[in-house]
Amino acid sequence: MIQFSYFMYLFLQFKINHYQLYNFKFDWIPGLKDSFHIAVDTMSLLPLLLVSLITVIVVLAASLIYEKRDSAYFGLIFLTIAGLNGFFMAQNPITFYLFFELTLIPVYFLVLKWGGPKRKKAVFTFFIYTVFGSFLLLAAIFYIYSFVGINLMTSWSFLYNNHFPVQHQYWMAIVFFIAFGIKAPVFPFHTWQVNLYEQADKPSVILIAALLSKMGVFGFLRFNFITQDVIPKLSFYLIVICVVGVVYGAVVAWRQTNLSRLLAYASMSHMSLLVAGTLTVYEEAYKGAIFQILAHGIAIAGLFFVADVFQRKTGSDNLDANSGMARVQPRFATYYFILVLAAIGLPLTSGFIGEFIMITNVTKFNKIAGAFAGLTIIYGAVYMLQCYQRSMFGKRHDERYQNFQLSLQEDYIFIVLTVLVIALGFFPSKWIDLTAYAIGQFGEYFKY
Amino acid sequence: MLTIIILTVAAVLILFLGFARQRGLILPVAMLALVASLVAMHYPEWTETSILTGMLHFDLTSFVLCILQFVFALCIIPFLHQFRQRGNEELGDITGLFLLALIGGMIMVSYQNFIMMFLGIEILSISMYVLAGADRRRITSNEAAIKYFIMGSFASAILLFGIGAIYASTGSLSFGNVLPGMDKFYQIGVLFVLSGLAFKIALVPFHFWAPDVYEGTPTIFTAIMSSIVKIAGFGALLQYLKLSSATLPEWVFWFLLLIALVTIVVGNIMAYNQTSVKRILAYSGIVQAGFILIAVLKITPQTEKILIYYLIAYGAASLITFLITHFVERQSGSDHLDSFGGLLKANPLLGILMIIALISLGGGPLTAGFMAKFLVLREAVGLGFLSLAFVALVAAVISVYYYFKIINAIASPSGDHSWSVSWRYNSVLLVLTLILILFGIAPSLVMMHI
């Protein structure tokens, strides 16, 4: 089954990379023309690449834990992946919403069936939060349709050119912020995240952290232009909220003793920065955001895979449980270190480019907010290095990890991820060009 | 006409089979009669035809609603003999009454004057009163029957009073040639008729019977109440609103709007804290009825399609849930949430089908429930009631909570029993689930043919 699904994935990727403007329309809803419309446009190309990549990693990581008879697990994983593919390809709001909801259900069951001891509460919180957000989104979409005419199924560019009444745009912008902010998650809506990341099994966490959280950012990229008249007025407040999230996540991450929880807060910090960047509605920030979606997805997937390896091989991903490992497992330590560096945003790793662009743009928008956001690199260095130090150096617990060896699959995953981290760090220009091409078509909507 | 004759003859035949103690023959005969009447409906005379001197008239909508009732009845009949934990002595009476109830349902969706309306409702209701009390030895079943009977006959009396009032002010029992008499008596009549109909479909504030009756009735008949009776009730409401649309006072629109709002909100609140699955599903049925009511606020050919679509989506999903509840109740003796624990492990297929049905009821994407809710809300927005759509949306979010309470119970690992079911059961449930998913993925393909 695994072999087969892996083959299917390759086939899928082939299709994505070669039909660059793969286009599919379908009169889905009666009376609405072209109501189901997915296409690979330039904006969704990099996220789709990430989806394809993470699929392989999740399937490989899961196949280490689950036997072939757990076919339901892989079925749910692939349902999620299908939803994600559709989400990034969606060409009108209703298709977008359909897939936004669709990814939620398989993830719910993934965590409910295969999660840790306190999974029920964690996943239910997640579910309620996300359903609340997505129904708000649906309300906004209904409003859009009531405004542009109920039977006019619209494309994105049509909506961008359609200026809604300003006072309505205000609440639409807030609704979008809540809906996508929950998904990302941004500061006030993050409480579902930590427990879920801790309780869910690690392959699904890779899926959630690397892909599902990116859905929030991508939503901002798609929907910001609809409220383009008020975003410049509101964005100061929204960015302040995001920056609070950046600092808060970093500070809390510093005090964590469990790798999964630490990564959850770190991820929240980075995602808040990313959202803050997109809310500036600068062209540069958009380019950086798309790039950062890819870069952060790769880094966080690798780090959660590290947590997965810890949990599987030594039984715990608490930071202190495995200290002193670097001596015994140098190869693993190297992979881990490269991924940590990427998360910090060290120059010449993939993390640097994206974060740098984000921070410059937030600074351009507001110097003080930018200064606080800039702290994220320092904080990031503090908590990630401290985490690395505590988990790999220090007092040795040889009996815990003496016998473990990285299997071929694990090596493969780590090599792919670390090579990508370094490659994206060294040669970002090609990728940025690709995003520039994606953003170029929306040039007219950018205010600055 | 042929269909009604077939059903009546079959019902009488089955009653006699019951007397003659030929219980093995009853269900096959009933299935055969239903299939025969479905075939009889396809005679060309059936679409756009009037029978009984014009007192029944079948247009496309009532035709589809009839077929819908028959198909759902076909899904239920194979399990009728399991209506009680042990023994099925009254199977002949039960099946015969069920077929008679179907005749009532047919009349309810196609009547042309008040007499036939009342007749249809009574044929359906009286059969249902008996079915509710079918499990004579269980006190709850008796309670359900008595409650249903007393409150139902009260509602019938109100309906009849309304009809009388309308007759008094217009001098006619048919809708076509009603004079536009807008005097107070006529308006009271309309109000009472609407209230009587609202009782049959369990809309707030006429819903009090529903949870108790649903809980006490043998589950297989609860499935009938939640699917066929709802379809017939909405068919009757649609028929009434359609036929007398020219003479209805203006407040009827606001009255129905208010009822829809209150139904959606109150049903949700009441469902929140229930622990019996049948009660949760009863309240969920109330909430769904509120949603369906939005579709008939303003009647156009488009909204009739939406109504049919919603009834298919809701009927199929609630049939699945009640049939599985019926199964679980037979196995564990209770319909409490806890007795659903471990269903996914004990019988993965049933667990998955139940989850799909519940997701559909909650409006999850790619199932018929999502599209049904979407179409109804679009209709509300199209009418200019953004706020109504918003309240309905919030209600839909809240409703997800109690559906997922059941799903959580199903997926919980408690219990290590293993339950197996017959292939008949599985195939019926699979067909219904297929309907849900097919209608969810490609609604336009399906709606084209309605």
Side-chain angles (χ1 to χ4, degrees), chain A residues 26-32 79 94 97-99 101-103 105 108-109 112-113 119-120 123-124 127-128 131-132 135-136 138-143 145-147 150-151 171, chain B residues 302 344 355 359 362-366 370-371 373-375 377-378 381-382 386 389-390 393-394 396-397 400-401 404-405 407-409 411-413 440-445 447:
Chain A
F26 173 52
D27 290 354
W28 178 46
I29 302 170
L32 289 188
L79 193 57
I94 190 62
Y97 173 77
L98 171 79
F99 287 112
E101 277 280 278
L102 184 62
T103 49
I105 292 165
Y108 179 82
F109 288 110
L112 188 67
K113 191 117 192 283
R119 61 189 185 275
K120 247 186 189 165
V123 77
F124 210 62
F127 190 76
I128 292 297
V131 165
F132 178 70
F135 274 85
L136 276 182
L138 186 59
I141 288 173
F142 268 115
Y143 165 73
Y145 286 140
S146 75
F147 190 80
I150 207 84
N151 284 322
W171 72 258
Chain B
Q302 180 66 22
L344 198 60
I355 288 174
I359 287 177
L366 283 194
F370 173 78
M371 191 43 61
K373 282 214 167 71
F374 181 85
L375 290 172
L377 292 180
R378 202 187 69 180
V381 174
L386 205 59
F390 192 74
L393 258 180
V394 172
V397 180
V400 166
Y401 170 78
F404 269 76
K405 217 159 77 172
I407 291 182
N408 276 348
S412 71
I441 291 177
S444 52
L445 294 180
M447 299 265 288

Side-chain angles (χ1 to χ4, degrees), chain B residues 67-86:
Chain B
I67 288 183
L68 208 57
Q69 291 181 39
F70 283 14
V71 170
F72 285 153
L74 266 180
C75 294
I76 292 175
I77 281 194
F79 316 112
L80 271 186
H81 64 284
Q82 299 177 334
F83 66 92
R84 190 193 288 164
Q85 202 74 331
R86 192 179 301 123

Side-chain angles (χ1 to χ4, degrees), chain B residues 237-252:
Chain B
L237 185 63
L238 176 76
Q239 194 80 356
Y240 177 63
L241 293 176
K242 204 161 68 175
L243 289 172
S244 53
S245 58
T247 54
L248 280 182
E250 262 176 45
W251 54 261
V252 168

Side-chain angles (χ1 to χ4, degrees), chain A residues 44 55-56 59 84 119 141-142 155 169 176 187 212 265 277 287-288 327 388-389 417:
Chain A
S44 56
T55 312
V56 187
V59 169
L84 283 161
R119 61 189 185 275
I141 288 173
F142 268 115
S155 63
Q169 280 194 28
F176 291 149
F187 165 57
L212 258 70
Y265 281 112
K287 287 181 203 167
R327 290 285 178 78
Y388 185 74
Q389 184 193 357
L417 289 176

Side-chain angles (χ1 to χ4, degrees), chain A residues 173-195:
Chain A
I174 290 167
V175 161
F176 291 149
F177 183 74
I178 294 173
F180 300 129
I182 286 173
K183 203 83 181 178
V186 203
F187 165 57
F189 316 114
H190 65 280
T191 39
W192 59 267
Q193 186 200 22
V194 181
N195 289 329

Side-chain angles (χ1 to χ4, degrees), chain B residues 135-146:
Chain B
D135 195 354
R136 276 182 308 164
R137 295 190 190 86
R138 241 181 58 224
I139 189 86
T140 47
S141 179
N142 284 319
E143 182 199 337
I146 293 288

Side-chain angles (χ1 to χ4, degrees), chain A residues 68-344:
Chain A
K68 286 178 185 169
R69 63 189 158 78
D70 280 334
S71 56
Y73 185 88
F74 293 97
L76 287 174
I77 290 262
F78 273 82
L79 193 57
T80 321
I81 298 290
L84 283 161
N85 270 317
F87 174 83
F88 288 120
M89 290 200 262
Q91 291 299 310
N92 61 40
I94 190 62
T95 319
F96 184 92
Y97 173 77
L98 171 79
F99 287 112
F100 193 73
E101 277 280 278
L102 184 62
T103 49
L104 179 61
I105 292 165
V107 167
Y108 179 82
F109 288 110
L110 277 177
V111 182
L112 188 67
K113 191 117 192 283
W114 286 276
K118 281 187 236 152
R119 61 189 185 275
K120 247 186 189 165
K121 190 160 168 268
V123 77
F124 210 62
T125 326
F126 163 68
F127 190 76
I128 292 297
Y129 264 86
T130 323
V131 165
F132 178 70
S134 56
F135 274 85
L136 276 182
L137 179 63
L138 186 59
I141 288 173
F142 268 115
Y143 165 73
I144 290 172
Y145 286 140
S146 75
F147 190 80
V148 299
I150 207 84
N151 284 322
L152 196 60
M153 211 58 203
T154 46
S155 63
W156 293 118
S157 54
F158 179 89
L159 286 179
Y160 299 160
N161 286 325
N162 198 327
H163 290 262
F164 295 97
V166 171
Q167 68 272 27
H168 291 174
Q169 280 194 28
Y170 272 113
W171 72 258
M172 276 163 76
I174 290 167
V175 161
F176 291 149
F177 183 74
I178 294 173
F180 300 129
I182 286 173
K183 203 83 181 178
V186 203
F187 165 57
F189 316 114
H190 65 280
T191 39
W192 59 267
Q193 186 200 22
V194 181
N195 289 329
L196 185 76
Y197 283 15
E198 193 191 5
Q199 292 301 328
D201 65 316
K202 289 297 167 286
S204 353
V205 175
I206 295 177
L207 197 69
I208 298 168
L211 296 176
L212 258 70
S213 63
K214 304 297 176 293
M215 288 167 70
V217 181
F218 199 74
F220 280 112
L221 295 183
R222 287 277 201 214
F223 276 84
N224 267 350
F225 294 132
I226 294 180
T227 55
Q228 50 187 302
D229 297 333
V230 299
I231 279 285
K233 293 173 202 147
L234 274 180
S235 58
F236 174 72
Y237 304 103
L238 299 184
I239 286 176
V240 164
I241 294 175
C242 290
V243 169
V244 168
V246 170
V247 177
Y248 173 81
V251 171
V252 179
W254 186 29
R255 300 304 303 162
Q256 296 302 315
T257 56
N258 178 295
L259 184 57
S260 294
R261 293 181 77 87
L262 185 142
L263 289 177
Y265 281 112
S267 172
M268 172 196 151
S269 171
H270 285 128
M271 296 309 288
S272 297
L273 180 62
L274 195 43
V275 172
T278 59
L279 283 171
T280 58
V281 204
Y282 294 139
E283 201 171 343
E284 285 298 319
Y286 263 54
K287 287 181 203 167
I290 295 183
F291 181 79
Q292 176 74 347
I293 284 179
L294 184 64
H296 182 255
I298 290 170
I300 202 77
L303 285 170
F304 271 113
F305 189 62
V306 168
D308 181 32
V309 171
F310 273 139
Q311 235 173 29
R312 245 175 323 112
K313 305 268 172 166
T314 69
S316 162
D317 60 346
N318 281 343
L319 290 182
D320 295 329
N322 303 309
S323 55
M325 203 192 227
R327 290 285 178 78
V328 190
Q329 303 286 348
R331 194 150 43 102
F332 177 62
T334 317
Y335 297 141
Y336 187 10
F337 192 59
I338 293 172
L339 291 168
V340 163
L341 291 184
I344 295 170

